[in-house]
Amino acid sequence: MSFLTQRLRFLPWLPAYMAVYFLFLYLPILLLPVFSFNDAATTTFPLTGFTTKWYASLAGNTAMLEAARNSLVVGVCVALLSTVLGICAARAITRYRFRGQKAAAGLIMSPLFLPEIIVAVSLLMIVLAIGLELSLITVILGQTVFCVPYAMSVLVSGFEGFDRSLEEASYDLGETAFGTFRRVTLPVVAPAIVSSLLVTFTISLDEFILAFFLAGTSPTLPLYIWGQLRFPAKLPAVLALGTIMIVLSIVMLTLAETLRRRAERRTRMASAPPQEA
Amino acid sequence: MTATALAAETSPDRPGRRAWRRSEEARGLAMISPTFLYALALLLLPVLVVVTYSFWTQDYLEIDRTFTLENYRQALSEPIYRDLFLRSLWISLAVSVATVVFSYPVAWFISFHGGVHRNLWLFLVTIPCWTSYLLRVMSWKVILGYGGVLNTGLINLGVIDAPLTSLLYNSNAVVITLVHSWAAFAILPIYVSLQKIDRSLIEAARDLGDSRLRAFLRITLPLSLPGVISAFLIVMIPTVGDYVTPRLVGGKDGMMIANAIQAQFGKAANWPLGAALSVTTMVLVSLSAAAVVLALRFALGRMK
């Protein structure tokens, strides 16, 4: 094979492939805003005209606002709970070595490798077997199981490389365990924690299956959307709602990513030899 | 196993309980216990409850607690469930193969040509995966439908005369939509394992006369196998139980086992049968995932 054909084989094809791949990835998402501003009740081309009426119709929609409020409550609780649980696990894994570590981490991470419907069904059975009512609380408990693995991966990458000697120095200088955590550890890992809160909130906001099985009579936003999908005439308004949710998610994920990178830089700096006295 | 060995090596023989309590092991265990207990109570215990229920039967509203394999007999022998199992396994296999094959070049590109913007590329890949799952599936309906984007586009280009009806409401639509949903989950593990490859090995192979393709097949591909395997598992196992995609774009011929499981917990209200279907799904998908992993290892072993 000559040098020229080898170049032809690899170089021009790959960027073209990347372009097609990204079109494939983003096309479905870009279509939502397009049809949400389209002045027709059907989602077919050609577009008929520009309108913001679908967005205006959302403002007075009490069922949607109620679902949005539920989603907010669930999202905040899930983010807090799964991040706290994630902090415990991530710290145990990055800071200590102990027997059964891999098994424990495996169990905690296993929702990533399970069909979600099985997690949902099993939670439904145990919740009803205990005699709990289905409510937003059961959704929170269920989504937390599902979000902890994501919180943990974000946090582990933030905690890794954190220099232990900083904490030891703090102990040696007479600080308590809690004081050390608050004054030495926390400032370094704070961006990772915020990043984990944002990621888990985004996942909870978008989560459908667990909410579908566990919500009882109080719908979250994805459940509200699911209900609306049965009526083709309501689709444009749903697309408007979806557009708002996507913008919100992208803003939060961007923020989370920025913070995660800052966290990585900080831990690297904190473990590097001190530059100034 | 390795963790046990490691702990046994590093921890000195224990002088007493108090010393143990202050030891690294005790602190680590205390630290992980809230999360571990949460997962135990809300993940392992519920799964065990499902397994138990699958051996019971339901008589109207009463649960009969005598051990029986009747549910499994029904799950494995009734044609409707057998078809759903086969189709679900087939779809999840097709989706995971397609996702890994289509995502590998992307992961390779980011790892080898991403330069300083690697993190940005990865971020752009993950964004669609975390935004509005339901509406993304809905969007594929808009793209693949009779008057949809793809048909309109192809007619305008003159490729076809009349809209294709074979795009939506079948297994193909389910596969396309799922490949889209799981793209990032395949790219990330493959990327991580590509990043771990020592680049000097590839240079060495090239210096010693291997062509690019040969160097890729003999060095890069085998060394990225762990990433390929986890990508397979992380895509294949969850997709077998997807509920939303078959419901929205699958039509009558694209239904999957999750739709039957949901029916047993909803309208049909036969929990033990639903539990048996769930357990059977898990067992079948684990077995086929294991078979795929072994086949991959074997194939790559032969190539070297």
Side-chain angles (χ1 to χ4, degrees):
Chain A
M1 215 184 292
S2 81
F3 179 70
L4 189 70
T5 50
Q6 274 178 31
R7 280 188 79 90
L8 277 175
R9 255 187 111 91
F10 281 89
L11 290 177
W13 283 105
L14 208 57
Y17 181 77
M18 288 293 278
V20 173
Y21 193 91
F22 270 82
L23 180 71
F24 169 72
L25 272 188
Y26 278 87
L27 182 68
I29 294 173
L30 294 175
L31 276 182
L32 301 179
V34 168
F35 284 112
S36 75
F37 287 112
N38 184 28
D39 189 17
T42 53
T43 48
T44 46
F45 284 108
L47 303 174
T48 49
F50 181 84
T51 178
T52 53
K53 67 177 174 190
W54 308 117
Y55 288 87
S57 75
L58 289 177
N61 184 338
T62 45
M64 191 278 294
L65 293 174
E66 174 71 17
R69 200 192 59 90
N70 288 341
S71 266
L72 190 68
V73 171
V74 170
V76 169
C77 293
V78 168
L80 288 173
L81 195 55
S82 50
T83 301
V84 167
L85 291 171
I87 290 174
C88 294
R91 187 151 162 83
I93 280 168
T94 51
R95 173 75 171 76
Y96 304 102
R97 289 280 162 269
F98 51 91
R99 267 173 285 182
Q101 191 173 27
K102 279 208 172 145
L107 175 68
I108 294 166
M109 296 299 279
S110 63
L112 277 183
F113 292 91
L114 282 175
E116 215 185 334
I117 192 161
I118 287 178
V119 180
V121 160
S122 60
L123 277 166
L124 175 75
M125 290 177 87
I126 203 152
V127 161
L128 295 183
I130 294 171
L132 280 175
E133 289 263 320
L134 292 178
S135 65
L136 291 183
I137 296 179
T138 46
V139 179
I140 292 168
L141 291 175
Q143 288 193 345
T144 300
V145 173
F146 187 68
C147 283
V148 166
Y150 294 96
M152 215 170 109
S153 359
V154 172
L155 290 162
V156 163
S157 86
F159 288 7
E160 242 162 27
F162 177 75
D163 190 356
R164 231 187 235 224
S165 61
L166 287 175
E167 289 179 332
E168 275 155 19
S170 163
Y171 287 127
D172 290 346
L173 293 169
E175 191 62 273
T176 59
F178 179 72
T180 301
F181 182 75
R182 196 173 64 83
R183 296 182 53 181
V184 178
T185 320
L186 199 57
V188 177
V189 300
I193 293 173
V194 179
S195 166
S196 153
L197 287 170
L198 290 167
V199 166
T200 46
F201 182 84
T202 314
I203 295 173
S204 160
L205 190 68
D206 197 37
E207 201 286 325
F208 173 73
I209 286 290
L210 289 164
F212 184 54
F213 278 91
L214 299 171
T217 52
S218 26
T220 59
L221 272 178
L223 291 177
Y224 170 80
I225 292 174
W226 180 253
Q228 300 295 299
L229 290 181
R230 266 178 301 161
F231 314 108
K234 292 190 175 168
L235 191 57
V238 172
L239 295 180
L241 172 62
T243 307
I244 296 173
M245 285 173 74
I246 284 178
V247 171
L248 197 71
S249 306
I250 291 180
V251 167
M252 280 189 304
L253 290 172
T254 312
L255 216 63
E257 172 69 6
T258 320
L259 284 163
R260 197 190 58 78
R261 280 201 223 170
R262 187 177 296 173
E264 266 182 14
R265 267 208 305 278
R266 245 193 238 191
T267 36
R268 232 178 291 141
M269 253 158 45
S271 43
Q275 304 276 310
E276 55 220 322
Chain B
M1 277 311 278
T2 41
T4 322
L6 195 73
E9 252 175 43
T10 47
S11 66
D13 31 1
R14 292 172 231 146
R17 275 195 72 165
R18 262 182 73 193
W20 185 80
R21 232 181 281 155
R22 266 184 286 140
S23 74
E24 175 162 326
E25 183 163 33
R27 284 203 214 156
L29 282 172
M31 192 55 111
I32 207 167
S33 58
T35 322
F36 180 70
L37 292 176
Y38 192 90
L40 212 58
L42 287 166
L43 192 66
L44 191 61
L45 186 65
V47 168
L48 292 178
V49 169
V50 170
V51 175
T52 318
Y53 255 84
S54 69
F55 294 113
W56 291 345
T57 43
Q58 189 164 328
D59 209 3
Y60 297 105
L61 289 173
E62 290 294 302
I63 294 287
D64 179 1
R65 297 209 157 98
T66 40
F67 178 89
T68 170
L69 289 172
E70 173 58 24
N71 297 313
Y72 287 100
R73 192 196 60 75
Q74 234 178 312
L76 290 170
S77 68
E78 282 200 15
I80 172 168
Y81 298 129
R82 217 176 40 211
D83 288 355
L84 285 174
F85 277 129
L86 286 177
R87 184 180 306 137
S88 303
L89 284 175
W90 171 239
I91 286 179
S92 70
L93 186 66
V95 168
S96 51
V97 170
T99 315
V100 168
V101 168
F102 287 126
S103 302
Y104 196 99
V106 178
W108 189 84
F109 179 86
I110 298 176
S111 178
F112 284 78
H113 297 286
V116 284
H117 296 300
R118 279 196 199 110
N119 277 327
L120 183 65
W121 279 111
L122 290 178
F123 180 61
L124 288 176
V125 161
T126 45
I127 279 237
C129 285
W130 280 350
T131 45
S132 207
Y133 169 55
L134 281 181
L135 290 173
R136 261 184 292 134
V137 179
M138 200 57 205
S139 215
W140 279 105
K141 210 167 156 173
V142 173
I143 295 172
L144 301 172
Y146 187 78
V149 178
L150 200 58
N151 273 325
T152 327
L154 289 177
I155 289 175
N156 286 341
L157 288 174
V159 181
I160 50 173
D161 298 325
L164 299 171
T165 49
S166 58
L167 293 172
L168 192 59
Y169 300 127
N170 52 37
S171 307
N172 298 340
V174 176
V175 172
I176 294 173
T177 310
L178 285 173
V179 167
H180 178 258
S181 299
W182 290 89
F185 289 89
I187 293 176
L188 291 178
I190 297 173
Y191 169 81
V192 168
S193 66
L194 286 173
Q195 281 297 94
K196 284 186 189 153
I197 295 175
D198 187 349
R199 301 297 145 102
S200 58
L201 290 175
I202 301 166
E203 278 165 32
R206 300 275 292 140
D207 287 347
L208 293 171
D210 263 1
S211 69
R212 263 178 203 257
L213 185 65
R214 229 175 126 70
F216 172 79
L217 288 176
R218 297 215 311 175
I219 312 279
T220 317
L221 192 58
L223 286 177
S224 63
L225 189 64
V228 171
I229 288 176
S230 34
F232 250 112
L233 298 179
I234 217 166
V235 176
M236 186 173 177
I237 299 176
T239 48
V240 82
D242 197 88
Y243 172 78
V244 171
T245 310
R247 262 301 285 278
L248 288 182
V249 302
K252 201 164 57 63
D253 301 328
M255 284 294 154
M256 286 166 70
I257 193 66
N259 306 93
I261 294 176
Q262 195 274 334
Q264 296 309 322
F265 285 91
K267 261 181 288 170
N270 187 344
W271 284 23
L273 181 57
L277 290 175
S278 307
V279 175
T280 314
T281 308
M282 276 309 298
V283 172
L284 288 177
V285 77
S286 308
L287 288 177
S288 35
V292 169
V293 169
L294 283 177
L296 264 179
R297 289 231 169 97
F298 180 74
L300 274 180
R302 288 288 292 267
M303 208 141 67
K304 271 184 274 182

